[in-house]
Amino acid sequence: MRRPGGWWRVKSTPEKVETYTRWSFHFFGAIEILALGVTAYGRTGVGLATALCLLVTAHAAVCMLVSARALDWTRGRRPQPVRQMWALVVVSAVVSTTAVVIAERGPSGEVETAAGSVYGGVLCYAAGVITLGVRGWRRRVAVVGAFAVGAGLLTFPLEMPLLASVVLAGLVMVTGGFLAATSIFSLWLLNAVYALDDAKETRVRLAVAEERLRFGRDLHDVMGRNLAVIALKSELAVQLSRRGRPEAVEQMIEVQRIAQESQREVRDVVRGYREAALEVELAGARGVLSAAGIVSEVTGETAGLPAEVQSALGWVVREATTNVLRHGDAKKVAVTVRMSEGRVVLTVENDGVAETTGDGLPGGTGGTGGSGLSGLRERLSAVDGTLEAGPVGRGVFRLTAEVPLPAAAAGAALGVAS
């Protein structure tokens, strides 16, 4: 059973920002209802106040719909909400015209004030919302300007002075422009967060591609020359064999030697690719986490540890760092290496756990085969090590690897640490 608030914790950072932005637009609609509709009950009778409140509520609902569809359009999930925007224009015109009629024919005094607030308010909100569905600052300025001009023209049936009409149009222009600027900035911020997240994923993919290229270059350097020599000597052995020359045997022996040497060199390349030095992995983890804006704290000594122990623990650091970057939302990561009673203990702790999945790592391992807890346990089992992982507090995940040290290595490591 998912814990309360789990729906929020499983979201990525861009998804959280999008949810916040979406509900901020909905909150603007709620403010419109409270500021324009509910306040009418304190200014006029119940009948007229209810009519005004219903009109404002309908207008706010259409604004919420348009803002949601415009947000999806901005993220490329829906087509541009042209029909919905025109519907908002029509609803705004109907509500504002009705407010003008109420102000003109209704009782004087507070009714005019309430209707006037509804009249100007719906136009301001509509101007701010419709700009979400268009691109380009000229079009957005044109939208806000059109609502301001419309607000001034609709005042003529009220026989308002020209100066008052100009002031009202200017008020709609300024207020609608402010709401439009606020909404557009929110969309810009959301797109920037998604762009940063895409850049982070691209950086990870480039790192993987660079490592593959390095491996390919090493393999080519090792095998290219040897295969060329094997081909030449094999061809020479064939020619010598056809002529019945005994040197063909020597050439084939040389081919066999080169082939065996190639096998050894390929194993060395693969071994270097698969092994992970603990000190190198710690330095790499510190650099990658810092580049991702995560505070990293690495403590402890690694000198004097056997090569096989460093390789196993290096893989633990590599896998833990990868999962923090891909699946968590950590702000701080602490890595500790310490000696305890003939054992080396590596602890990786982060504060960005979103959800613990079946393999025990936050958000999943994101891989198969040698990745995840099963792969790490296999590597540690080769040096009689153990691995424990799990949440230790609210949003905190800890991974602990312990590896026993041989007596000589333990004494050397303790001597270095002291």
Side-chain angles (χ1 to χ4, degrees):
M1 182 177 180
R2 182 174 295 178
R3 294 177 299 175
W7 68 274
W8 176 261
R9 296 176 62 83
V10 298
K11 290 179 177 290
S12 63
T13 298
E15 290 173 343
K16 290 179 180 178
V17 176
E18 180 178 349
T19 301
Y20 169 79
T21 303
R22 188 180 300 274
W23 283 100
S24 296
F25 293 152
H26 294 338
F27 184 66
F28 285 157
I31 292 178
E32 179 183 2
I33 296 174
L34 293 175
L36 304 179
V38 176
T39 56
Y41 283 96
R43 298 177 179 178
T44 184
V46 175
L48 288 177
T50 301
L52 292 174
C53 188
L54 291 176
L55 289 173
V56 171
T57 301
H59 185 268
V62 178
C63 286
M64 293 179 186
L65 175 63
V66 172
S67 62
R69 294 295 179 86
L71 183 58
D72 291 335
W73 170 65
T74 302
R75 296 304 312 153
R77 304 188 189 112
R78 290 177 180 269
Q80 186 178 17
V82 178
R83 294 182 179 180
Q84 289 80 4
M85 290 191 295
W86 278 112
L88 179 57
V89 171
V90 173
V91 172
S92 301
V94 171
V95 173
S96 57
T97 302
T98 304
V100 168
V101 172
I102 292 176
E104 183 179 13
R105 299 185 179 182
S108 60
E110 295 295 333
V111 175
E112 294 181 357
T113 302
S117 299
V118 172
Y119 170 75
V122 296
L123 295 178
C124 292
Y125 277 101
V129 170
I130 289 182
T131 53
L132 294 173
V134 296
R135 289 195 175 104
W137 65 270
R138 293 183 179 179
R139 294 181 179 179
R140 289 162 176 164
V141 171
V143 168
V144 176
F147 273 91
V149 172
L153 294 178
L154 285 176
T155 58
F156 285 106
L158 297 178
E159 298 181 357
M160 292 180 59
L162 179 61
L163 180 60
S165 299
V166 173
V167 170
L168 180 59
L171 182 62
V172 172
M173 185 75 177
V174 172
T175 306
F178 174 77
L179 293 176
T182 302
S183 302
I184 294 170
F185 177 77
S186 298
L187 287 184
W188 174 84
L189 181 61
L190 175 62
N191 291 329
V193 172
Y194 269 106
L196 289 175
D197 188 70
D198 292 340
K200 179 180 176 181
E201 291 295 328
T202 301
R203 186 167 62 248
V204 172
R205 289 194 296 268
L206 288 176
V208 174
E210 183 179 357
E211 182 64 15
R212 289 176 177 172
L213 288 174
R214 183 194 69 80
F215 181 74
R217 287 195 304 267
D218 292 346
L219 195 60
H220 178 270
D221 293 341
V222 169
M223 296 299 297
R225 177 181 59 84
N226 291 349
L227 288 176
V229 174
I230 289 174
L232 290 174
K233 286 188 172 295
S234 298
E235 184 179 357
L236 178 58
V238 170
Q239 297 298 330
L240 293 173
S241 177
R242 288 176 177 175
R243 297 175 185 176
R245 301 284 297 274
E247 291 88 347
V249 176
E250 297 179 359
Q251 295 297 326
M252 290 308 299
I253 292 175
E254 183 67 13
V255 169
Q256 184 182 23
R257 185 192 64 79
I258 296 174
Q260 292 173 347
E261 182 68 16
S262 299
Q263 288 179 335
R264 184 188 62 80
E265 291 180 351
V266 169
R267 284 195 295 267
D268 291 340
V269 171
V270 175
R271 186 181 300 111
Y273 180 74
R274 287 180 176 177
E275 289 182 352
L278 179 57
E279 187 64 32
V280 174
E281 294 300 329
L282 290 175
R286 185 187 295 109
V288 172
L289 292 172
S290 299
I294 301 174
V295 178
S296 59
E297 179 182 349
V298 180
T299 58
E301 293 291 338
T302 61
L305 296 177
E308 61 273 13
V309 174
Q310 290 211 31
S311 178
L313 294 180
W315 270 103
V316 174
V317 175
R318 181 184 297 184
E319 292 291 339
T321 303
T322 300
N323 279 279
V324 169
L325 292 175
R326 289 183 176 178
H327 307 294
D329 190 19
K331 302 297 184 296
K332 182 178 180 181
V333 176
V335 182
T336 305
V337 181
R338 59 185 175 88
M339 309 296 173
S340 176
E341 299 178 354
R343 303 176 68 86
V344 56
V345 181
L346 171 68
T347 303
V348 183
E349 184 175 295
N350 73 87
D351 61 354
V353 175
E355 183 182 18
T356 301
T357 60
D359 60 5
L361 287 180
T365 59
T368 60
S371 60
L373 288 184
S374 58
L376 293 179
R377 286 197 173 96
E378 289 178 3
R379 296 181 184 276
L380 290 173
S381 64
V383 290
D384 297 327
T386 60
L387 184 70
E388 294 182 0
V392 294
R394 184 175 181 82
V396 178
F397 188 89
R398 179 183 298 161
L399 186 147
T400 304
E402 295 188 13
V403 178
L405 293 174
L414 290 175
V416 172
S418 60

